[in-house]
Amino acid sequence: MDLIRCTSCFQHSPTLIAPTFRHRTTPKPNLTTISNNHATVSTTRMVVKARGGGAAEAETALVDKPKVLKRFQVSDGHPAPFGATIQDGGVNFAIYSANATSATLCLIALSDLQQNRVTEQIPLDPLANKTGDVWHVFLKGNFKDMLYGYIFDGEFSPEIGHYYDSSRILLDPYAKAVISRGEFGALGPEDNCWPQMAGMVPTSEDQFDWEGDLPLRHPGRDLIIYEMHVRGYTRHESSGTKFPGTYCGVVEKLDHLKELGVNCIELMPCHEFNELEYYSYNSVLGDYKLNFWGYSTINYFSPMIRYSSSGIRSCGRDAINEFKYLVKEAHKRGIEVIMDVVFNHTAEGNEKGLSVSFRGVDNCVYYMLAPKGEYYNYSGCGNTFNCNHPVVRQFILDCLRYWVAEMHVDGFRFDLASIMTRSSSLWDSVNVYGDPLEGDLITTGTPLSNPPLIDMMSNDPVLHGVKLIAEAWDAGGLYQVGRFPHWGVWSEWNGKYRDIVRQFIKGTDGLSGAFAECLCGSPNLYQKGGGKPWNSVNFICAHDGFTLADLVTYNNKHNLANGEDNNDGESHNYSWNCGQEGEFASISVKKLRKRQMRNFFLCLMVSQGVPMIHMGDEYGHTKGGNNNTYCHDNYINYFRWDKKEESSSDLFRFFCLMTMFRRECESLGLNDFPTAERLQWHGHTPGKPDWSDTSRFVAFTLIDSVKGEIYVAFNTSHLPVTITLPDRPGYRWEPLVDTSKPAPFDFLSNEVPERDLAIKQYAHFLDANLYPMLSYSSIVLLLSPDENA
């Protein structure tokens, strides 16, 4: 999540007007205790209606009293583990809330949820059903199609951080599936954007056949990551999938990723979120704005139910199994699965937001608060998760363990991860470390050199070998690229790589040295702290910002479709339109754009570190210059399979061949930074690199145990140049890649017709150890024995 998208999220959070907290004026529920410890109450429901004006309207209304159903045996229960857990022929419910004065377990049949009714309520006795700060109860009975939630009562005092409201049924933070609406983008009853949610009660029937699936454990240096959106990948009609826009849809198209050559997919948020969070009419496109990206989590244990083809069927069990099916099928193809997770904030927003889960359970524990109860906003989205609080960091660790052990995921990319290094509310060194620290003046939100949460995650035995990737910045100005506490296991999204490569490839002066550092895996950022090249996740484009095609087509953002008068989105993109703004351009400009796209991808594939490709860049997907498409559930964000199949998809061929080349080369995925024994820099003449401010040429040779020796050069000047190649007696250089050539001659693979003739055309240059390079082009040459020597 880039900072500019956070700002956009924050700008839209006020459109969800907070329900008026009326529990001080609304009569208290009349609890009636009966023989089996069950009770019935008059409950309330929250209705958030869509309005034509683009905002959302909230109201609280009474519903009918539920029936008493005496079908559960109730006993005290146990304080661990948290959540709803199958034990001894029943289900144990346990939830942490230190500041609540009372707690009630609500059981809701799936049919009753649709009618906003509570099936049964079980008040918890603070003497029998509470251990320390954990409320618990054990039930036996028939839990088929049964859901649950909690009512907590206590002080409603926002000025000291308490938002207890006994009119609200809250989600358990540990719920394994969250059920509300079943169809993505569809409004709830009465145009409700936020219908009542409830968690799945587990049963002994919850089974999945993994068929012996085991972690792939690809070494970090060997990864080629593909950032993708589950719904966007197959939602377009041209995908031809049986279940478009779902986990099953992704499975149907996994072979495309195998062909592309990636061995790891990074799924944009798949935790439960509410896509109707931004729901409002967009007069520009004539549709409705949704939270398409999903960086606004409601629950961290539940997969996004509306990404499944089964929806809320079986109370979410089928959705859980469908996600597992995706992971299993990816593993069968040698593809790891990394989840993009958002532990920096939740969907509950600031003090004007809704109480859905964490806020109503224990607000001052789960959120970073100022002394007078205000929300710190290091996320730019209204609140900040209190990551280094002891309870919260254990919650995060439990969540990660669950997704690794139960769901078989291979790693995590942490959105705005720098927030996880900030001190928690009421920071206390005694509480955190066990002893007071001399001179400890740490205040809430201060960056910590040894954050307890990062320490726990880095050294957890269950997470050993799991990929951990940090987006090492946040919206509060903390930028830690190259400085994120890594414990030898963390990688980082290298935003500096993106910015430097974008500028150098488009011909910006003064960056030849910095560009060379990027090619080597950014040792200037990682080597001093004991890092490795794989600590750097290299990327040119990601979900936020321009696509690769738009990067070479637009100088300026074109975000009018977002309905914000083009005020949202990053204004400094280091892009270049190659001479004309927009898609309608001359033939020469379009040719240059294709060349630049190949230049960017060649750079990505020959750089040390871990390359990441953004979904759709392999065929040149365009978003029309929109660099902040968080709110569009339409063609703007959908993968266009029809475009990929068109003749213009020669770019896809280039991508496939370059990823194959990278995998074949031993030297392009080093575990350590290259040294002079392996790598040599060159300029227009061998051994004489030009690091001056006006240099727009960088070349190097690399010893490779498979390919022998590789020569790579980038000419980002507007002028062509004839270069002199390193002399290797008994050998000659042969062209493999030249981005200035039209397909298929841009990559001279063995199946290219007339390949030998194409190579002979360069014979008079190569015989003299020369090679002509056009402006804005890059090349790869291989050393082969000289038969005429």
Side-chain angles (χ1 to χ4, degrees), residues 457-478:
M457 294 161 60
S458 303
N459 296 290
D460 184 75
V462 176
L463 302 183
H464 178 73
V466 170
K467 275 73 176 180
L468 302 174
I469 302 173
E471 184 184 41
W473 56 80
D474 65 23
L478 184 56

Side-chain angles (χ1 to χ4, degrees), residues 343 385-398 400 414 417 419-422 427 432-433 448 450-460 463 468 484 487 490:
F343 287 111
F385 214 48
N386 204 19
C387 294
N388 280 297
H389 186 284
V391 171
V392 181
R393 64 177 185 257
Q394 186 62 53
F395 166 80
I396 294 174
L397 191 66
D398 289 345
L400 300 179
F414 295 85
I419 282 177
M420 299 192 302
T421 71
R422 293 183 180 273
W427 177 264
V432 175
Y433 297 115
L448 305 171
N450 295 295
L453 172 60
I454 306 300
D455 187 353
M456 291 174 66
M457 294 161 60
S458 303
N459 296 290
D460 184 75
L463 302 183
L468 302 174
F484 191 85
W487 268 272
W490 284 77

Side-chain angles (χ1 to χ4, degrees), residues 552-608:
V552 299
T553 305
Y554 298 94
N555 283 350
N556 304 303
K557 63 182 181 181
H558 295 264
N559 294 2
L560 288 175
N562 299 351
E564 300 180 43
D565 298 325
N566 208 39
N567 291 319
D568 65 305
E570 177 59 60
S571 296
H572 302 92
N573 298 282
Y574 304 120
S575 60
W576 179 43
N577 62 18
C578 298
Q580 292 177 269
E581 187 77 358
E583 293 187 56
F584 298 101
S586 65
I587 294 177
S588 61
V589 166
K590 288 184 177 181
K591 286 182 177 180
L592 178 55
R593 288 173 178 173
K594 282 191 173 184
R595 190 187 313 170
Q596 286 290 75
M597 292 169 71
R598 292 191 288 265
N599 289 335
F600 278 120
F601 194 68
L602 187 150
C603 172
L604 189 63
M605 288 298 109
V606 301
S607 296
Q608 301 296 329

Side-chain angles (χ1 to χ4, degrees), residues 695-723:
S695 174
R696 298 185 184 181
F697 183 88
V698 171
F700 64 91
T701 48
L702 195 61
I703 303 298
D704 186 271
S705 62
V706 176
K707 300 293 184 180
E709 190 170 4
I710 307 167
Y711 180 92
V712 181
F714 297 87
N715 178 29
T716 64
S717 169
H718 62 286
L719 300 173
V721 61
T722 299
I723 59 175

Side-chain angles (χ1 to χ4, degrees), residues 323-395:
F323 184 92
K324 291 179 178 179
Y325 174 60
L326 165 58
V327 175
K328 181 175 71 172
E329 292 301 310
H331 285 176
K332 286 181 179 179
R333 293 162 175 81
I335 299 173
E336 293 189 336
V337 178
I338 289 177
M339 295 184 68
D340 194 340
V341 293
V342 189
F343 287 111
N344 59 78
H345 77 285
T346 76
E348 292 183 307
N350 58 21
E351 60 274 3
K352 296 181 180 180
L354 303 175
S355 290
V356 177
S357 180
F358 303 97
R359 170 177 284 147
V361 173
D362 211 328
N363 181 72
C364 63
V365 168
Y366 283 106
Y367 293 112
M368 198 179 291
L369 303 178
K372 294 185 178 181
E374 305 97 330
Y375 289 87
Y376 281 97
N377 190 23
Y378 293 115
S379 68
C381 297
N383 64 54
T384 304
F385 214 48
N386 204 19
C387 294
N388 280 297
H389 186 284
V391 171
V392 181
R393 64 177 185 257
Q394 186 62 53
F395 166 80

Side-chain angles (χ1 to χ4, degrees), residues 259-260 651-661 663:
E259 181 184 5
L260 179 59
L651 183 65
F652 178 64
R653 170 187 175 271
F654 185 82
F655 269 52
C656 293
L657 291 171
M658 282 304 309
T659 58
M660 182 186 299
F661 177 72
R663 295 196 310 273

Side-chain angles (χ1 to χ4, degrees), residues 478-491:
L478 184 56
Y479 191 82
Q480 296 176 305
V481 172
R483 297 181 294 108
F484 191 85
H486 61 78
W487 268 272
V489 298
W490 284 77
S491 299

Side-chain angles (χ1 to χ4, degrees), residues 651-705:
L651 183 65
F652 178 64
R653 170 187 175 271
F654 185 82
F655 269 52
C656 293
L657 291 171
M658 282 304 309
T659 58
M660 182 186 299
F661 177 72
R662 178 182 176 88
R663 295 196 310 273
E664 291 174 348
C665 291
E666 164 269 339
S667 61
L668 294 180
L670 298 176
N671 196 48
D672 288 298
F673 298 101
T675 65
E677 295 178 355
R678 182 188 285 267
L679 183 145
Q680 185 178 9
W681 297 104
H682 307 287
H684 292 163
T685 56
K688 296 182 179 179
D690 182 0
W691 308 123
S692 68
D693 286 344
T694 58
S695 174
R696 298 185 184 181
F697 183 88
V698 171
F700 64 91
T701 48
L702 195 61
I703 303 298
D704 186 271
S705 62

